[in-house]
Amino acid sequence: MARKIIIDTDPGVDDSMAIFFALVSPELDVIGLTSIFGNVRTPLATTNALRLLEIADRADIPVAQGALDPLTRPFEGPVPFVHGEDGQGELFLPDPDTQPLAIPAAQFIIEQLRAQPGEITLVPIGPLTNIALALRLEPRICEWVDEVVLMGGNALVPGNASPAAEANIRNDPEAADLVFGADWQVTMVGLDVTLRVHMTPADIAEYSTHGKPMSEHISRILPHYRRYFEANYDAQGIFVHDSSAIAYLLQPDLFQVRRWQMRVETAGIGRGKTLPATGGRILPAWADRPLVNVCVGVDGAAVVALEAERLRKA
Ligand code: BDR
Ligand code: CA
């Protein structure tokens, strides 16, 4: 039976790839998308989620809109220099025909988990505000969830949104600290691995040969995103963040995992840094926290090949 997932997302170029990757993978059953600020503001993330489902011919999948701001302060703003003003590589697509649900994301998450205990995995690939709000409203979601597999954080490598922190976690560190501290199984697919999943220019070019709507869309949104990477990293092509979380769901054996308690820095210039308890002695701030599965190694070429193969066959 396919594994049911809810993707919490801020689409976003790499979010779009991850959503499509999940939709075309028979092992996964995407039962809903929830939107969050990050790459764009939340209302645009909602619109983009609806547009992506229409492109995928899956407008039957519900979309619930999430929080407008992080838990404790206003959203610092989107990153058009990475994902484009529209979050879709500046294609400026027409509005979708479909509408989001009337209930907010946190409520949707709670209702789905309550109705199908043990069956649903949460897959956040943006800031963790909606997940933290759901936890606060209904702590029993910890018992009802299967697992939380998230893209975010950096355990043993530098950040990408600041020298210290990864973008999703830095956008709401208080929410992330709640999510890592809750009594459920969290798997962190962060920069430690995603910066080793490299799509070369040849890998990118291949998508335009698939002749499929989803691959065609990916080909159209990638150039803007790619320019950002090529201007800021010493590499051609892109690194694959959000799709790596989907690859973990499909083939966890492609990843090496360590288990550590995790805290998140919420103050000062290190705000948003994920801090695993890697030392021998567990200090009080980490004690009594659950062990998080932290991905520290990956077969990056296999992840890139898996995604391309799935979308080619879509
Ligand atoms: C994460 O931040 C966003 O820009 C991407 O969509 C990804 O979720 C990478 O740090
Ligand atoms: Ca994202």
Side-chain angles (χ1 to χ4, degrees):
M1 209 176 68
R3 186 170 180 182
K4 292 178 185 159
I5 65 170
I6 295 173
I7 304 179
D8 187 71
T9 174
D10 58 336
V13 171
D14 62 323
D15 299 74
S16 307
M17 295 177 65
I19 291 164
F20 288 165
F21 186 16
L23 289 174
V24 300
S25 292
E27 304 93 328
L28 300 176
D29 177 9
V30 182
I31 65 162
L33 301 182
T34 50
S35 64
I36 190 64
F37 58 83
N39 297 324
V40 292
R41 292 187 188 277
T42 303
L44 183 53
T46 308
T47 300
N48 286 344
L50 294 166
R51 283 173 173 148
L52 292 165
L53 291 173
E54 286 184 355
I55 291 167
D57 203 15
R58 290 301 311 272
D60 56 300
I61 295 174
V63 175
Q65 176 155 295
L68 300 178
D69 288 298
L71 294 184
T72 63
R73 52 175 85 179
F75 173 42
E76 285 183 4
V79 285
F81 47 93
V82 186
H83 297 266
E85 289 289 347
D86 62 348
Q88 293 291 290
E90 312 217 317
L91 295 188
F92 299 107
L93 297 166
D95 282 341
D97 292 326
T98 44
Q99 296 288 327
L101 298 173
I103 57 169
Q107 189 182 338
F108 175 77
I109 289 168
I110 292 167
E111 286 180 6
Q112 293 298 314
L113 291 173
R114 181 188 288 123
Q116 304 173 76
E119 288 188 23
I120 300 172
T121 294
L122 296 178
V123 186
I125 54 175
L128 291 164
T129 317
N130 291 334
I131 314 300
L133 287 171
L135 263 175
R136 274 187 176 171
L137 284 167
E138 179 48 278
R140 288 179 297 175
I141 64 171
C142 287
E143 299 160 28
W144 300 334
V145 80
D146 179 3
E147 188 181 350
V148 180
V149 175
L150 64 88
M151 190 282 137
N154 50 311
L156 308 176
V157 300
N160 61 353
S162 80
E166 184 277 331
N168 289 340
I169 305 300
R170 186 164 187 271
N171 263 318
D172 197 342
E174 287 80 8
D177 199 45
L178 279 174
V179 170
F180 285 120
D183 189 18
W184 54 10
Q185 182 60 64
V186 175
T187 295
M188 175 177 132
V189 184
L191 298 181
D192 302 79
V193 288
T194 65
L195 290 175
R196 294 194 226 165
V197 183
H198 177 213
M199 266 178 92
T200 66
D203 296 324
I204 291 171
E206 208 230 282
Y207 276 69
S208 62
T209 67
H210 292 175
K212 304 278 168 56
M214 284 179 260
S215 294
E216 172 68 22
H217 186 70
I218 290 170
S219 298
R220 293 177 69 205
I221 61 177
L222 271 178
H224 184 283
Y225 191 63
R226 178 177 166 185
R227 278 194 290 280
Y228 166 78
F229 277 92
E230 293 183 348
N232 290 280
Y233 292 84
D234 188 21
Q236 298 291 299
I238 66 161
F239 297 106
V240 179
H241 295 305
D242 291 340
S243 290
S244 294
I246 305 301
Y248 177 85
L249 291 168
L250 298 172
Q251 288 197 24
D253 51 313
L254 296 179
F255 294 79
Q256 285 93 52
V257 171
R258 298 287 303 270
R259 283 169 66 73
W260 291 307
Q261 284 124 322
M262 187 70 75
R263 292 304 308 259
V264 180
E265 179 58 83
T266 56
I269 59 173
R271 184 169 159 80
K273 172 72 178 82
T274 43
L275 299 166
T278 54
R281 191 161 64 96
I282 305 298
L283 298 173
W286 284 262
D288 301 326
R289 305 268 296 192
L291 289 167
V292 171
N293 290 330
V294 181
C295 292
V296 293
V298 64
D299 183 343
V303 170
V304 170
L306 179 65
E307 181 165 21
E309 176 205 313
R310 292 296 170 91
L311 280 151
R312 189 186 313 115
K313 285 194 204 146

